[in-house]
Amino acid sequence: MERRVTQSDVARRAGVTRPAVTMALRGHPSIPLATQERIRRIAEEMGYVPDPMLSALASYRSTLRPASYHGTLAWLGNNLPPFDWREVTMFRSYYDGAVRRAASYGYNVEIFDFQAKGSTPEKIAKAFRFRNISGVLLSPQPGPSWELSFPWEHFSFVTFGYSLVRPALHTVAPTQFRAMMMTMRKLYEKGYRRIGFGCSFLVDERTDHHLLGGYLVEKALFERKLTMPLFDEEKADAPLFRKWFLKHRPDAIVTGNPRLLQVIEDAGFRVPEDVGLACPTLPEPDIDFAGVYEDSFHMGETAVDTLVGMIHRGERGIPERPHYVHVPGLWLEGRTLRDRHAPEKKNAGTAKRSRRSS
């Protein structure tokens, strides 16, 4: 049987120590990028593959001791006014989750921003290299269909959602298409039949139209037709909503923003007595609003899991085949829907509200 190629074999061919091979194959920042690439090329030419049993043993041993300091991960924002990712509940939770999970691997997370005074992509990349930062979490962009220029080839990147269209990077995102389908099915189960679409068209574009797609699929499967025009929550005020509502008479509305509850009440209608309301993209789990809670904190954790794995595998630059990690949400009953099969309850409470930004 042919002998397995070991890291010691690779080290002899490359003229380095075995620990240097180990660190190079893991993308350790103490090994120059050119050396890492040379060692990976030699390992590939020799047919080296990691021993799965030894890898599992090393992973097990690492869980038995506290995480040692490995370095810094960058959180790279793009706060082009008036946008600020820190003011968006879900985006802030991405960051908080990332910080928590990074600490478990022995990393700090430091914030950088494209819009900081005097910043350019080249200066930011230079700062990363000077600080031995090889992993970058790219925050959601100020708007949909965003394009960025950066020296990508030196770093491992993971981003969030679909606002960045070029380049296509490894991405962590909520399952918004399935969340909308789940929301629609819950409404049909509760006896609602005329369900209106009340999401911001801009937010829907940020989700790569996953919200509208899930809505239209369920409408087609259950009703076989689109029974009323779409309503853009982004431009909604009480008079505009009242006109749309009285003309089309929905018995329920799906929205991407819990703020629509206040617009409906200002228009003189009660939720859920006059109209049901559900949100497939809830930013918080405790607002008494029916819908799907996205758990953005967990998405931040998942992004770091993905990024650390890339660093260990030495994956840099724009991927040839970007991966999309979709994190499912959790259905919450809330108080903005009622069971239309059951007798209506009197004095139903109103739902607490949550601030959410597009």
Side-chain angles (χ1 to χ4, degrees):
M1 187 173 79
E2 188 175 345
R3 188 176 72 86
R4 174 187 288 272
V5 177
T6 68
Q7 289 189 1
S8 296
D9 297 327
V10 176
R12 281 191 291 272
R13 174 77 67 85
V16 299
T17 64
R18 189 194 61 77
V21 171
T22 300
M23 290 189 290
L25 296 179
R26 291 181 177 178
H28 196 280
S30 66
I31 306 297
L33 285 176
T35 303
Q36 291 182 30
E37 293 169 1
R38 183 173 69 86
I39 291 173
R40 285 195 208 97
R41 185 173 61 254
I42 291 172
E44 185 176 347
E45 290 172 354
M46 295 180 67
Y48 168 78
V49 291
D51 185 320
M53 298 302 293
L54 291 177
S55 297
L57 178 60
S59 178
Y60 170 72
R61 285 175 173 171
S62 69
T63 64
L64 299 180
R65 59 179 181 267
S68 58
Y69 175 69
H70 287 171
T72 299
L73 302 178
W75 176 278
L76 182 54
N78 191 12
N79 284 341
L80 183 66
F83 173 79
D84 187 336
W85 64 265
R86 291 165 295 194
E87 295 180 358
V88 182
T89 301
M90 290 179 293
F91 301 166
R92 181 73 197 195
S93 293
Y94 292 162
Y95 172 78
D96 292 340
V99 170
R100 165 83 73 84
R101 185 55 60 90
S104 72
Y105 288 112
Y107 287 95
N108 297 322
V109 177
E110 186 170 341
I111 298 174
F112 297 81
D113 198 279
F114 279 111
Q115 304 303 323
K117 187 176 181 180
S119 285
T120 66
E122 291 72 24
K123 287 182 179 180
I124 294 172
K126 184 177 180 180
F128 288 171
R129 291 195 292 271
F130 180 77
R131 299 277 305 280
N132 282 328
I133 295 173
S134 59
V136 184
L137 296 161
L138 185 62
S139 77
Q141 298 306 301
S145 304
W146 212 266
E147 299 184 20
L148 286 175
S149 176
F150 194 82
W152 309 101
E153 63 274 12
H154 301 295
F155 310 100
S156 304
F157 272 89
V158 173
T159 190
F160 299 86
Y162 298 97
S163 53
L164 181 70
V165 295
R166 260 184 294 276
L169 303 174
H170 294 319
T171 299
V172 174
T175 55
Q176 288 156 330
F177 181 87
R178 295 183 66 85
M180 177 61 86
M181 292 179 67
M182 180 193 300
T183 302
M184 294 289 287
R185 290 172 187 176
K186 292 287 186 180
L187 292 174
Y188 288 132
E189 289 172 5
K190 292 179 181 294
Y192 292 100
R193 293 296 179 265
R194 291 185 54 79
I195 303 172
F197 181 88
C199 296
S200 160
F201 293 176
L202 182 64
V203 170
D204 178 59
E205 187 178 354
R206 287 186 71 101
T207 70
D208 200 24
H209 301 294
H210 283 191
L211 295 176
L212 181 58
Y215 172 80
L216 293 176
V217 165
E218 287 301 314
K219 292 283 280 189
L221 292 175
F222 192 89
E223 301 178 39
R224 305 296 180 185
K225 60 182 178 179
L226 183 63
T227 53
M228 67 188 76
L230 309 176
F231 183 75
D232 188 355
E233 171 271 319
E234 187 85 15
K235 302 175 181 178
D237 58 21
L240 187 64
F241 176 83
R242 183 175 181 85
K243 180 179 179 180
W244 177 81
F245 183 87
L246 292 177
K247 182 175 182 179
H248 303 290
R249 294 290 182 180
D251 56 17
I253 300 170
V254 288
T255 181
N257 194 331
R259 85 165 190 98
L260 189 60
L261 173 63
Q262 185 62 61
V263 174
I264 293 173
E265 292 177 346
D266 290 345
F269 303 105
R270 301 169 301 162
V271 175
E273 295 86 351
D274 298 324
V275 62
L277 192 60
C279 177
T281 58
L282 288 174
E284 299 169 315
D286 57 351
I287 60 174
D288 283 347
F289 208 104
V292 178
Y293 167 52
E294 289 193 343
D295 197 355
S296 302
F297 188 92
H298 181 54
M299 276 186 280
E301 294 178 315
T302 303
V304 170
D305 290 338
T306 303
L307 183 61
V308 170
M310 293 172 62
I311 293 172
H312 287 175
R313 294 187 297 272
E315 298 175 8
R316 303 286 193 274
I318 300 172
E320 290 185 12
R321 301 176 68 181
H323 297 172
Y324 295 87
V325 180
H326 289 145
V327 181
L330 303 171
W331 174 259
L332 303 178
E333 281 297 331
R335 296 167 61 185
T336 55
L337 295 177
R338 62 187 177 92
D339 186 351
R340 289 169 61 87
H341 300 299
E344 183 176 349
K345 295 180 181 180
K346 295 183 179 181
N347 300 321
T350 57
K352 291 160 60 182
R353 299 170 187 83
S354 169
R355 182 183 183 278
R356 173 191 165 94
S357 171
S358 61

